[in-house]
Amino acid sequence: MFDILISHIQNKVSLIEEEKTELQSFFSVKKLKKKQYLLQEGAVCKCLSFVNKGLLKSYFTDEKGGENINMFAFEGWWISDFKSFINQEKAVLNIDAVEETELLMITLEDYDKLMLKIPVMDRYFRILYQNSLVTKDYRLIASNSYTAEEKYLKLVQKNPEMIKRVPHNLIASYLGLAPETISRIRKKILLKG
């Protein structure tokens, strides 16, 4: 059950066997059905969650009730409303399952204990946070400077798995486009091909 998590960690930092075993004691397992919430806006994010299996989306709802997706989390990804998790304040994001999902979850208290007990985990999470900041910067640049077609094509190139697994209306929300725009782009690509 912990193979994907340990592999993900080992891609960034080295763990000794005792640390791999001890690490598991800090996590609990949660399963979600498709469309089931992990977190709803206004609740406090109690856990940082690692996707062991499945797919989640994180989003906020605008004043018209529309979903504005800020990220998808596949196997091997972490997800939370991080500000809510760290500060233990009300979440502004919703997180729910796009597919049946299995999560490994760690509370803030256990997260802090983990950093003390296995110090290399501090470096692991620092690497993740640095990568996340870079990704968010580039996503903002893309959002403000690429055409709709460029946004879609870059997504297809960078993450073909997303195109296969995520419904097109959710991809449209993620890219800040109307579903009809995605349909037009896809038709245009098919005609070229």
Side-chain angles (χ1 to χ4, degrees):
M1 175 168 298
F2 287 86
D3 292 347
I4 296 171
L5 175 61
I6 290 170
S7 175
H8 191 271
I9 294 167
Q10 296 261 109
N11 283 334
K12 311 272 188 266
V13 297
S14 295
L15 293 172
I16 59 173
E17 288 304 314
E18 297 82 36
E19 290 171 332
K20 291 178 192 177
T21 303
E22 188 164 18
L23 174 85
Q24 297 176 32
S25 68
F26 291 94
F27 289 87
S28 61
V29 177
K30 183 173 181 117
K31 294 185 179 188
L32 297 176
K33 293 182 171 134
K34 186 176 180 177
K35 296 188 179 184
Q36 186 177 352
Y37 281 99
L38 173 64
L39 177 68
Q40 286 185 280
E41 176 184 355
V44 174
C45 184
K46 300 287 186 189
C47 293
L48 183 59
S49 301
F50 181 83
V51 182
N52 204 43
K53 178 182 170 220
L55 172 62
L56 298 166
K57 66 179 177 184
S58 170
Y59 61 95
F60 66 92
T61 307
D62 62 29
E63 57 279 345
K64 294 179 183 175
E67 286 184 11
N68 295 275
I69 298 173
N70 71 320
M71 81 172 281
F72 293 100
F74 296 84
E75 291 86 358
W77 289 50
W78 290 92
I79 192 165
S80 76
D81 181 319
F82 199 68
K83 185 174 185 233
S84 174
F85 175 68
I86 291 298
N87 297 327
Q88 290 296 283
E89 62 186 40
K90 290 181 181 180
V92 296
L93 297 172
N94 296 290
I95 301 172
D96 65 42
V98 177
E99 302 172 352
E100 282 193 21
T101 301
E102 179 183 88
L103 302 165
L104 300 175
M105 303 176 67
I106 187 167
T107 65
L108 182 59
E109 181 182 349
D110 281 340
Y111 174 86
D112 290 336
K113 287 178 185 175
L114 176 64
M115 299 304 157
L116 295 172
K117 193 79 171 167
I118 307 174
V120 72
M121 290 302 294
D122 190 60
R123 185 173 192 288
Y124 165 75
F125 279 107
R126 184 174 44 83
I127 292 168
L128 291 184
Y129 302 145
Q130 289 170 341
N131 292 342
S132 178
L133 284 172
V134 169
T135 300
K136 286 183 190 264
D137 284 349
Y138 278 97
R139 183 147 184 256
L140 184 60
I141 291 166
S143 175
N144 291 321
S145 58
Y146 294 157
T147 66
E149 187 172 340
E150 288 170 332
K151 288 178 190 179
Y152 184 78
L153 290 173
K154 287 195 183 292
L155 181 66
V156 169
Q157 180 184 18
K158 188 175 179 181
N159 199 338
E161 183 73 10
M162 186 182 295
I163 301 301
K164 292 177 191 169
R165 289 175 64 183
V166 177
H168 294 293
N169 64 316
L170 299 182
I171 289 173
S173 173
Y174 177 72
L175 294 174
L177 304 171
E180 302 80 35
T181 303
I182 295 288
S183 293
R184 273 195 307 276
I185 293 168
R186 292 183 72 232
K187 284 179 189 171
K188 184 177 176 182
I189 292 167
L190 287 173
L191 290 173
K192 283 181 183 178

